[in-house]
Amino acid sequence: MNQTWTAWTCLMAIATGAAAAPMGPVKPSAGRFSIGLEGDVSARRMEWEGGSSVETDYGSAGIMGRVSYGFTERAEVWGRFGYASLILQDPTPPRTTVEFDNAFAWGVGGGGIAMDQENWNLAIQGNYNSHGDHALQGLSSGSFDATWSDWNIGVQAQGKYDAFMPYIGLRYSDATAEYSGIFVAALGGGFDDNAQTNFGIYGGFGYDFSPEFSAYLDGRVIDELGIGGGLKYSF
């Protein structure tokens, strides 16, 4: 039993090591670029494919740079890049914890205003995030690695009150992990992992300090528990 848990723990540590990214307000500005810095802390429960009911929790903290461009006053695109730290925890006592190495993370996304009213609007956004070559601490790259990817689509209502923009939304998200490395091959593979819950709620607020500088704070529940935020400079 201990040997089985050790093998599964190694696999779950890689599979659930994903750095989520905050959603944030959608506020395009035609013809303008923006650069910014985002931080996020999240936790999500995952489960094995292939008929196994093994579950695991993970914790992740990441810092990402963000570059965006507004095509019009109603549509924008963005890209992210950075690093994330990752921790696995068994949800049952004694809640064994496994730490693993940081990894380069990147993402792309876009959003737009679907309906615009005087004091509020309805926005849509989608994001794709990925990072790979995670290795368990103490193992070299190529021994026990995995590539993570997650994506989401959200619909959010946003208030417009001068510099203040609160928002709340409903999203669908999913996450998967694929394995590679010597130890994975030795175990026979077939350990892909998926998110346990797909629908979630998110919300937060943005604030404009000036036409150039802005910030936001964001939270997510149900599909994952997360809190994040960012600073942005537009030009």
Side-chain angles (χ1 to χ4, degrees):
M1 180 65 180
N2 289 339
Q3 291 178 341
T4 301
W5 164 242
T6 300
W8 281 1
T9 297
C10 290
L11 289 168
M12 287 186 283
I14 298 299
T16 58
M23 299 294 284
V26 176
K27 195 174 182 180
S29 184
R32 299 186 71 184
F33 286 94
S34 68
I35 56 175
L37 186 66
E38 296 179 324
D40 189 80
V41 177
S42 63
R44 187 162 192 160
R45 179 157 293 184
M46 306 288 288
E47 61 184 8
W48 293 112
E49 291 183 349
S52 174
S53 60
V54 175
E55 299 175 348
T56 185
D57 295 331
Y58 78 90
S60 129
I63 296 178
M64 306 278 280
R66 173 169 166 157
V67 179
S68 60
Y69 177 74
F71 288 103
T72 70
E73 294 295 329
R74 299 177 72 104
E76 63 178 335
V77 294
W78 54 79
R80 294 182 168 105
F81 58 92
Y83 280 87
S85 64
L86 305 164
I87 298 175
L88 160 80
Q89 190 171 69
D90 176 19
T92 60
R95 298 186 66 83
T96 304
T97 299
V98 176
E99 297 185 17
F100 40 98
D101 295 339
N102 295 348
F104 176 76
W106 63 275
V108 294
I113 306 300
M115 182 173 63
D116 198 11
Q117 301 296 318
E118 182 178 358
N119 295 318
W120 67 278
N121 61 38
L122 188 67
I124 301 172
Q125 68 166 297
N127 297 276
Y128 175 84
N129 304 293
S130 179
H131 53 93
D133 297 328
H134 273 291
L136 289 176
Q137 288 187 357
L139 295 180
S140 60
S141 179
S143 298
F144 208 114
D145 302 339
T147 297
W148 170 276
S149 62
D150 69 78
W151 61 271
N152 60 69
I153 298 177
V155 179
Q156 61 200 66
Q158 306 183 140
K160 298 187 295 182
Y161 306 102
D162 296 325
F164 185 62
M165 176 176 275
Y167 62 92
I168 186 170
L170 175 68
R171 75 174 194 167
Y172 182 92
S173 68
D174 201 5
T176 60
E178 297 179 351
Y179 303 88
S180 63
I182 297 172
F183 292 164
V184 175
L187 290 169
F191 296 101
D192 288 352
D193 196 22
N194 281 331
Q196 186 178 72
T197 304
N198 298 112
F199 285 99
I201 296 173
Y202 63 97
F205 65 89
Y207 188 83
D208 295 335
F209 297 102
S210 71
E212 292 80 25
F213 288 98
S214 62
Y216 77 93
L217 184 66
D218 177 273
R220 306 175 304 280
V221 295
I222 302 178
D223 57 342
E224 68 178 9
L225 295 177
I227 184 169
L231 299 170
K232 183 171 73 171
Y233 173 73
S234 300
F235 56 96

